[in-house]
Amino acid sequence: MPIRSVMRQGLKRAVITGGLEFAHLAERVGLMASARGMGAIFTLHHVRPKAPQTFDPNAHLEITPEFLEAAIEHLRDEGYQFVALADMAARLAIARAGERFAAFTLDDGYRNNAVHAQPVFTRHKVPFTVFVAPGLSCKTHGIWWETVTELLRAVPHLEFDFGSGPVTMPLATPFQKQAAYARFARFVHGGADEAEAIERLDTVAKAHGIDPLMITERLVMREPELKSLVLNPLASIGAHTVSHRALSRLGEEEVRREMEQSAERITAITGQLPETFAYPYGDRAAASPREYRLARDLGFRAAVTTEPGTLSARSFDMPTALPRISLNGLYQKPKYVGALASGIPFRLMRR
């Protein structure tokens, strides 16, 4: 990775940390009080004990159970009431002045959500929603970002054709691995066909002895585990498409099928029709007003993006385009949770 890229990454981390520190102090002394919303929906992925890695491109998608517990305790001390995502609209509609609400969501249905996150939520009596892509839980689809990570950890160099002829990428250092990972991410997100790009990645991984579906088997809850999870009255299962592809890049009928079949499969597994939906990736490049309309037409009570922000009484004028706040594994300090929930960082970003 060029030294300038390393410096840019370091600068970005420093800017984000500085912004969170400022937001924490501003929230403590009551500055920018108008930025505060009535509620916050938090996004999580992996919740598990940290296993240090020299190359860890997905570290931002992973928090520890201890940090989750500290985040819940901090929010409770700040006066937040915990509600299920599906109930958030009703609670905001009858909220008294000064009341604040928080909902927790976890994307992709990782097994550690049940093993490590569920006990924390249960101990604190906090509702949570796990968004499940049946293609992952039924082991018909791989998780490309996990596949690429394992592939880059396993080999000293890699040849791949990104579209203009084979290139050989050296992978001797974490910097080189990170540069290769970024190139693969651009390949998946920037090409014409995400499924085709992932198929090509999977082919290369298999050639190096890495089975993408075995990674899915190891990481993601299967049907019996999902059935067990919903026995917990605090747990809800939401839909997350079948194949976990960026919906805005698909045709409308295929988007509808992804949404419908995801909900139908979850209903067959758990016996409960999912009331909520999460757009894969969830940013503006992956989910658009067309997807918001389809989610509404299909009857989802709430659908969430990954666009950052807090909730107001007007948020549920568009209940299928709700913002969320990521609990980022690179910034695991409870005071940052309060700073994010205050809405101040997002006001600063807009400025």
Side-chain angles (χ1 to χ4, degrees), residues 42-47 61 63 68 104-107 121 327:
F42 290 99
T43 312
L44 297 78
H45 290 82
H46 289 288
V47 180
L61 300 178
I63 66 169
L68 176 58
F104 281 90
T105 64
L106 305 98
D107 287 9
F121 290 128
L327 288 190

Side-chain angles (χ1 to χ4, degrees), residues 162-227:
F162 290 96
S164 56
V167 296
T168 299
M169 295 169 284
L171 302 171
T173 69
F175 290 152
Q176 290 172 335
K177 293 178 190 291
Q178 185 63 52
Y181 181 93
R183 191 166 186 179
F184 278 117
R186 290 194 297 271
F187 176 65
V188 170
H189 292 305
D193 190 318
E194 183 178 342
E196 180 181 335
I198 293 170
E199 183 178 356
R200 290 182 57 198
L201 283 173
D202 288 351
T203 298
V204 172
K206 292 173 186 175
H208 288 84
I210 294 171
D211 185 342
L213 295 185
M214 288 305 297
I215 296 174
T216 304
E217 168 77 23
R218 187 176 75 245
L219 294 178
V220 175
M221 283 183 279
R222 304 299 301 278
E223 293 186 16
E225 294 166 290
L226 295 172
K227 290 179 180 178

Side-chain angles (χ1 to χ4, degrees), residues 25-247:
L25 292 174
E27 194 268 341
R28 293 288 87 188
V29 300
L31 294 177
M32 300 179 71
S34 62
R36 182 182 293 280
M38 298 172 62
I41 304 170
F42 290 99
T43 312
L44 297 78
H45 290 82
H46 289 288
V47 180
R48 59 190 177 189
K50 184 63 178 176
Q53 299 279 355
T54 56
F55 170 60
D56 200 0
N58 299 311
H60 61 294
L61 300 178
E62 175 180 344
I63 66 169
T64 66
E66 292 78 14
F67 176 61
L68 176 58
E69 187 145 31
I72 290 170
E73 291 172 346
H74 185 87
L75 290 167
R76 180 166 281 139
D77 290 344
E78 293 279 303
Y80 282 84
Q81 301 174 44
F82 300 106
V83 300
L85 174 61
D87 297 332
M88 182 68 86
R91 293 303 301 272
L92 289 182
I94 62 172
R96 296 188 295 271
E99 284 191 307
R100 289 176 286 178
F101 305 92
F104 281 90
T105 64
L106 305 98
D107 287 9
D108 304 333
Y110 292 112
R111 183 169 289 113
N112 54 57
N113 295 175
V115 174
H116 294 295
Q118 179 179 212
V120 177
F121 290 128
T122 301
R123 184 160 56 250
H124 290 277
K125 299 181 174 59
V126 173
F128 61 101
T129 299
V130 177
F131 289 110
V132 171
L136 304 183
S137 58
C138 297
K139 211 179 82 168
T140 59
H141 292 71
I143 311 170
W144 71 262
W145 55 96
E146 302 282 359
T147 300
V148 171
T149 298
E150 293 206 10
L151 175 61
L152 298 180
R153 284 175 180 164
V155 296
H157 55 81
L158 184 66
E159 183 179 278
F160 191 83
D161 186 350
F162 290 96
S164 56
V167 296
T168 299
M169 295 169 284
L171 302 171
T173 69
F175 290 152
Q176 290 172 335
K177 293 178 190 291
Q178 185 63 52
Y181 181 93
R183 191 166 186 179
F184 278 117
R186 290 194 297 271
F187 176 65
V188 170
H189 292 305
D193 190 318
E194 183 178 342
E196 180 181 335
I198 293 170
E199 183 178 356
R200 290 182 57 198
L201 283 173
D202 288 351
T203 298
V204 172
K206 292 173 186 175
H208 288 84
I210 294 171
D211 185 342
L213 295 185
M214 288 305 297
I215 296 174
T216 304
E217 168 77 23
R218 187 176 75 245
L219 294 178
V220 175
M221 283 183 279
R222 304 299 301 278
E223 293 186 16
E225 294 166 290
L226 295 172
K227 290 179 180 178
S228 176
L229 183 67
V230 295
L231 295 177
N232 185 337
L234 294 168
S236 302
I237 303 294
H240 199 33
T241 74
V242 173
S243 64
H244 199 289
R245 285 181 292 167
L247 294 178

